[in-house]
Amino acid sequence: MVGLQPSEAPPTTVVKFLGAGTAACFADLLTFPLDTAKVRLQIQGENPGAQTVQYRGVLGTILTMVRTEGPCSPYSGLVAGLHRQMSFASIRIGLYDSVKQFYTPKGADHSSIAIRILAGCTTGAMAVSCAQPTDVVKVRFQAMIRLGTGGERKYRGTMDAYRTIAREEGVRGLWKGTWPNITRNAIVNCAEMVTYDIIKEKLLESRLFTDNFPCHFVSAFGAGFCATVVASPVDVVKTRYMNAPPGRYRSPFHCMLKMVTQEGPTAFYKGFVPSFLRLGSWNVMMFVTYEQLKRALMKVQVLRESPF
């Protein structure tokens, strides 16, 4: 990332990789109910005849889930979510700087916006290719409605979900929705990483902020808003397609067409408020934690290598 002081040891790729995954898991622990509410709102309306519970707003969705499914329901799929972040965020965030430097021509003082966008698309696509099964399982758990405390669940646990999906839908079922997810995460990663990178760079160049918490907060908030605006339509299609039973949609494009014809274009922004609340707060918590973890891990490494 931009803005490291010359006196500080630059973080290594391994430090960035581990720091990004750990920071993302911490952010997920705090914001996961908002993500679950987003998923429930996004799939609402795709099968009106079978749906018995109606959700209204972020808080209303979470309260309805707690009332009808139990207090732990907003955290359904958390284990798969943490699996996802350790593999997914480590790649798309932790390797962003390395890929950006790889694409930057030798001798250039700064990376252009095009180079940053290319780096964001590359790490986003790489992350999805590795972590797609964890995302499929997370969405299935979050979308699964269980009425009453004794309600039946399709999956007994996270590992059982991986096995069940592979057995019933084939191994390809674990990679269901890969293309819309690659599209979505390339967009999100560009919006998040490039926006954060540029805002932070400009704030530091203007000398309005130093490389500390206020700078990281403002940059992360801007990144979260941009990511939500540009990625929400693809995110809704991705969620619907990954959660759908076999045969409902022939392709992500077919899913998109059915949404437009049955629910109108506003369906692409279903769950926008929880998406922004979740992505905005997630970005702030993740980037602030990530920046601090990088510094802490590098201090530990420098101390270990010091002869004194």
Side-chain angles (χ1 to χ4, degrees):
M1 287 297 166
V2 297
L4 288 171
Q5 298 298 323
S7 59
E8 296 178 338
T12 63
T13 300
V14 173
V15 165
K16 294 176 185 176
F17 188 87
L18 294 176
T22 304
C25 285
F26 175 73
D28 244 29
L29 284 171
L30 299 179
T31 63
F32 203 79
L34 294 173
D35 191 44
T36 303
K38 177 205 73 173
V39 169
R40 292 293 179 94
L41 287 167
Q42 286 177 337
I43 65 172
Q44 183 166 260
E46 69 172 340
N47 192 12
Q51 188 155 334
T52 58
V53 179
Q54 292 294 320
Y55 304 113
R56 294 183 180 275
V58 184
L59 182 60
T61 299
I62 294 174
L63 292 176
T64 299
M65 289 177 62
V66 171
R67 187 177 68 252
T68 59
E69 303 173 52
C72 295
S73 58
Y75 278 94
S76 182
L78 176 63
V79 175
L82 297 179
H83 288 175
R84 175 180 180 268
Q85 293 300 350
M86 277 308 299
S87 54
F88 183 75
S90 297
I91 295 172
R92 77 176 184 92
I93 298 171
L95 298 184
Y96 170 78
D97 279 341
S98 299
V99 173
K100 183 178 70 174
Q101 291 167 8
F102 175 78
Y103 286 141
T104 301
K106 291 183 179 180
D109 294 332
H110 297 284
S111 301
S112 66
I113 293 179
I115 291 294
R116 299 182 202 209
I117 291 174
L118 183 59
C121 289
T122 301
T123 56
M126 288 169 56
V128 172
S129 301
C130 297
Q132 181 67 8
T134 63
D135 205 11
V136 171
V137 172
K138 178 184 81 77
V139 169
R140 295 286 180 92
F141 268 104
Q142 289 177 314
M144 188 167 54
I145 299 175
R146 182 182 64 172
L147 298 179
T149 55
E152 186 177 343
R153 297 191 76 115
K154 184 174 182 179
Y155 310 118
R156 293 190 301 272
T158 303
M159 299 311 297
D160 180 61
Y162 288 117
R163 289 191 295 267
T164 301
I165 294 171
R167 184 175 65 250
E168 294 180 354
E169 304 174 39
V171 176
R172 290 181 62 182
L174 289 170
W175 269 267
K176 186 175 183 179
T178 298
W179 285 114
N181 210 12
I182 284 178
T183 304
R184 183 254 182 193
N185 280 290
I187 294 171
V188 168
N189 213 39
C190 287
E192 281 183 355
M193 298 304 300
V194 175
T195 304
Y196 181 84
D197 211 7
I198 292 175
I199 292 176
K200 182 180 173 185
E201 184 179 72
K202 298 304 180 185
L203 289 175
L204 293 174
E205 287 178 353
S206 68
R207 301 187 182 278
L208 292 172
F209 295 92
T210 56
D211 190 13
N212 54 19
F213 173 79
C215 177
H216 304 156
F217 180 91
V218 173
S219 303
F221 186 84
F225 181 77
C226 290
T228 308
V229 170
V230 300
S232 189
V234 184
D235 192 32
V236 175
V237 173
K238 179 213 77 167
T239 299
R240 295 272 183 106
Y241 187 69
M242 287 198 304
N243 182 59
R248 173 171 291 175
Y249 305 119
R250 294 190 297 272
S251 66
F253 185 70
H254 179 232
C255 175
M256 181 184 71
L257 288 179
K258 286 193 72 172
M259 285 176 58
V260 173
T261 55
Q262 294 179 0
E263 304 171 57
T266 56
F268 290 115
Y269 280 92
K270 277 193 170 184
F272 179 82
V273 173
S275 289
F276 174 61
L277 290 176
R278 193 262 175 179
L279 204 52
S281 58
W282 189 92
N283 269 270
V284 169
M285 293 174 191
M286 192 286 297
F287 277 114
V288 170
T289 305
Y290 178 45
E291 297 282 3
Q292 298 306 312
L293 275 175
K294 285 193 297 183
R295 293 180 178 181
L297 290 172
M298 285 310 299
K299 285 180 181 178
V300 171
Q301 184 170 320
V302 169
L303 287 173
R304 289 182 63 182
E305 292 175 356
S306 174
F308 301 101

